[in-house]
Amino acid sequence: MNNLVRELRGERGWSQADLAQQLDVSRQTVNAIETGKYDPSLPLAFKIARLFGMSIEMIFIPGEA
């Protein structure tokens, strides 16, 4: 699954560690989501969408990683 997490994080000037802290996950989890190596759980996807003020569908795009 492709996603816009890296772009959205970058627009806000947040490091992976900053985002991880806000989501209560590890920096490695953020990195894995951004690189497409890990698809977040539904609760985490909702948390990410809420944090960026967007819908899940706007952030996560089905398809190849």
Side-chain angles (χ1 to χ4, degrees), residues 10 13 17 29 38 40 49 51 64:
T29 297
Y38 172 73
L51 180 64
E64 293 183 26

Side-chain angles (χ1 to χ4, degrees), residues 3-63:
N3 67 73
L4 302 177
V5 174
R6 179 175 288 162
E7 291 82 359
L8 294 168
R9 176 179 60 76
E11 288 172 4
R12 287 155 180 79
W14 296 340
S15 68
Q16 287 183 342
D18 294 333
L19 180 56
Q21 183 175 18
Q22 293 182 69
L23 296 172
D24 197 29
V25 298
S26 70
R27 185 202 58 78
Q28 290 85 354
T29 297
V30 171
N31 180 270
I33 291 169
E34 289 183 353
T35 58
K37 293 179 180 167
Y38 172 73
D39 291 335
S41 65
L42 196 52
L44 180 54
F46 272 109
K47 214 171 182 182
I48 292 168
R50 201 168 25 252
L51 180 64
F52 289 119
M54 300 173 74
S55 69
I56 290 174
E57 294 86 354
M58 292 176 69
I59 299 173
F60 297 95
I61 302 101

